[in-house]
Structures are given as C-alpha cells and as structure tokens.
Amino acid sequence: MKLILKTTFITICFGVLSACSSVTAMDESNPTKFTYDYKDLNATKDEIFSRARNFLATNYGDTNEVLRVVDAKEGIIIGRGSSPWYIMTNSCSTEHNVKFAAKDNKARLQFELIQGAPAYSGCQGWAMPTEQGYQTIKSDFNAFSERLEQALKGEGKNSDFNNF
C-alpha cells in the first residue's frame, strides 16, 4: 500500500513539475503592437466613429473604466483594456492600450500590450504573458478586429437594432 501511495505521489509531483516547466515566457521578439486598417467602409467619419463607439461600448464591460478619450470631432477613441490568459488554473491578465481613429471611408484600430502584471492578475510574477498566453491574446485581438470591421460596415450583430 505504501509503495502504491509513494508511486502515485511521485507521479503526481512529476506531472506538476513537467507542466510548470513547459510554461515559457513570451518570445521577446514578438510584436506587442497590433494595428488593423479598415478601408472602403462606404461611410462618413461620423458614421464610422459612431459605429465604433457603440461597438466598443457593447464589447468592453465597463466603458467608464476602459475608454479614456472619446472625441467625436477628431474621430478618436483611446482606452485601456485587459486581456485574459491562463497558466494551468491561474487566471492571468495583461493590460493593453486601445486606440481607434475614424476618417471618411476608413479607420484604424491599434492594441498595444503594456508590460507589468495588473494588481488583479493571478500571475504577478509575469511582466508579459507566457508564449501560450500571447498566442491567445493575439487570437482574441484578431477576432475582435473582425467583429469591429463588420460593425464599421454596418453589418454587425447589432446593425439591425436601428432598422425599424
């Protein structure tokens, strides 16, 4: 019985150590800035700005916490968000700046990862995400950009709200 317990304990310890050793830091050569350009939107700067503002308001939980500058005249939105990622069962976060600019028929969105773990992250020892966390964040940014592009074209899931 003791031999089985020892073997089980050693197996569990080995598994935990193996899992921890497979967690690698983000490659420092990975870009931390992601820029998305949208062209041929067939809308004015004001329409594009309004669509982006509404999209951001429905896709970020508390826009009062996230959006810091919302300037309709200039077509600019600047904010700070948080991107989740995980190490085993720990929920981690990396903050990012988000910038949006609207012009007639085109727009630009930019995310930039911010170094340092926010106080609410479960992974305080990580200034930047792990490599797997980085890939998750990058994938989330790409998906966000695709949804935003649909909204900017007036084709998003909320586009039918005003059509009555």
Side-chain angles (χ1 to χ4, degrees):
M1 181 70 167
K2 287 184 180 183
L3 181 60
I4 293 172
L5 288 175
K6 278 185 181 179
T7 304
T8 303
F9 178 74
I10 291 171
T11 303
I12 290 171
C13 288
F14 181 72
V16 169
L17 290 174
S18 294
C20 289
S21 67
S22 68
V23 176
T24 58
M26 178 184 114
D27 186 333
E28 291 183 20
S29 68
N30 286 344
T32 57
K33 193 179 286 187
F34 303 85
T35 303
Y36 305 90
D37 289 328
Y38 312 99
K39 298 179 181 178
D40 301 322
L41 297 176
N42 202 24
T44 66
K45 177 182 87 171
D46 293 340
E47 290 170 322
I48 293 168
F49 175 84
S50 178
R51 291 172 183 171
R53 183 197 59 222
N54 293 345
F55 177 84
L56 293 170
T58 58
N59 281 271
Y60 277 106
D62 183 356
T63 55
N64 292 329
E65 284 289 316
V66 175
L67 302 182
R68 297 166 189 260
V69 175
V70 179
D71 186 337
K73 182 178 176 187
E74 295 296 320
I76 301 290
I77 299 172
I78 300 172
R80 178 175 280 190
S82 178
S83 298
W85 52 279
Y86 298 89
I87 295 179
M88 296 170 61
T89 59
N90 285 344
S91 177
C92 310
S93 295
T94 297
E95 289 186 319
H96 61 267
N97 288 321
V98 59
K99 297 177 185 176
F100 178 83
K103 295 185 178 184
D104 287 343
N105 296 315
K106 61 185 178 178
R108 173 172 284 169
L109 171 70
Q110 187 176 81
F111 293 110
E112 184 172 13
L113 297 178
I114 300 170
Q115 189 164 358
Y120 52 84
S121 177
C123 303
Q124 288 301 310
W126 293 84
M128 291 299 267
T130 62
E131 185 61 33
Q132 184 177 358
Y134 174 81
Q135 295 303 325
T136 298
I137 291 169
K138 184 176 161 182
S139 177
D140 290 347
F141 285 168
N142 289 338
F144 186 95
S145 172
E146 288 175 15
R147 292 191 315 273
L148 174 61
E149 183 171 25
Q150 294 302 307
L152 296 178
K153 291 179 177 179
E155 302 169 357
K157 67 178 183 176
N158 293 327
S159 64
D160 62 345
F161 178 73
N162 290 333
N163 298 333
F164 58 92

